[in-house]
Amino acid sequence: FTDRNDSIPMWSFYSDSHKGFCVEYEIDRLMSPHLLPVIYSDERINSDDMVREALYRKGSNFDERTIMKTLMFTILHKSMEWQTQNEWRLVLTPEYLENKNPLKVGRIKKVFLGAKMPEHEQKVITEICQRKGYECYKMVLEKSRYALTPKKLF
């Protein structure tokens, strides 16, 4: 997840070079506690060392919650090289998974079509958006600067 729909690197890496699409959700309040921002750092996190250190400090009182916190800390870290992505990670706890709760991301608000999406694929997705009542935009690569701008289709 990201809070940006106009990142040229994101569209290049994750959308088949601007041929895919991006979905904006209205995040369900029950899911929002599971969405956590990525922490960008120049330091690589070594969870093995963290777990060993925690075991050494806590001795036999070391519990599963401490391991989960350590793993969460590791999962949320990424190199500073990716900072412009403004990412969020969906992290589901074992308790959440054990309860077999259905995952409700939230209602789709908008769909953004890639600037280079093939016409036949664009037609299929726009028809679905119209039928479902989603706002639909086409991303446009600016001619005078390195930027993407959403153009509203409907």
Side-chain angles (χ1 to χ4, degrees):
F1 292 93
T2 183
D3 54 15
R4 293 191 59 192
N5 63 17
D6 63 349
S7 168
I8 291 173
M10 292 283 275
W11 279 97
S12 298
F13 296 142
Y14 304 116
S15 177
D16 192 19
S17 299
H18 302 263
K19 295 178 199 154
F21 62 94
C22 170
V23 177
E24 180 179 318
Y25 295 96
E26 184 177 291
I27 300 299
D28 184 277
R29 66 177 179 78
L30 296 175
M31 190 181 119
S32 61
H34 301 285
L35 274 175
L36 303 170
V38 168
I39 302 162
Y40 298 97
S41 171
D42 287 325
E43 308 265 332
R44 184 182 289 261
I45 303 301
N46 185 331
S47 60
D48 291 347
D49 289 346
M50 291 173 71
V51 169
R52 262 195 293 284
E53 184 180 326
L55 282 168
Y56 177 75
R57 276 187 287 123
K58 297 228 178 209
S60 60
N61 295 331
F62 189 72
D63 60 63
E64 199 173 302
R65 266 185 109 58
T66 306
I67 292 173
M68 289 307 297
K69 285 180 184 177
T70 301
L71 292 176
M72 179 106 48
F73 189 72
T74 305
I75 289 167
L76 293 175
H77 273 76
K78 195 169 181 180
S79 167
M80 288 294 286
E81 297 287 325
W82 300 94
Q83 187 174 17
T84 59
Q85 292 187 341
N86 295 357
E87 291 173 278
W88 291 72
R89 299 254 165 100
L90 177 62
V91 181
L92 300 177
T93 61
E95 294 84 15
Y96 184 89
L97 296 171
E98 285 170 9
N99 290 332
K100 297 181 173 72
N101 293 324
L103 178 62
K104 293 180 182 174
V105 176
R107 185 181 72 78
I108 293 175
K109 286 174 49 176
K110 301 175 184 175
V111 175
F112 299 86
L113 308 177
K116 298 178 182 178
M117 178 179 271
E119 194 65 39
H120 66 280
E121 292 178 16
Q122 182 174 320
K123 184 176 185 244
V124 170
I125 293 175
T126 55
E127 286 173 1
I128 292 169
C129 288
Q130 283 179 322
R131 193 171 62 244
K132 299 278 191 175
Y134 306 144
E135 288 183 45
C136 192
Y137 297 78
K138 172 86 174 181
M139 299 306 287
V140 177
L141 286 159
E142 297 288 330
K143 291 184 182 184
S144 61
R145 59 193 185 100
Y146 295 110
L148 277 170
T149 305
K151 177 186 169 197
K152 189 168 185 170
L153 300 177
F154 53 88

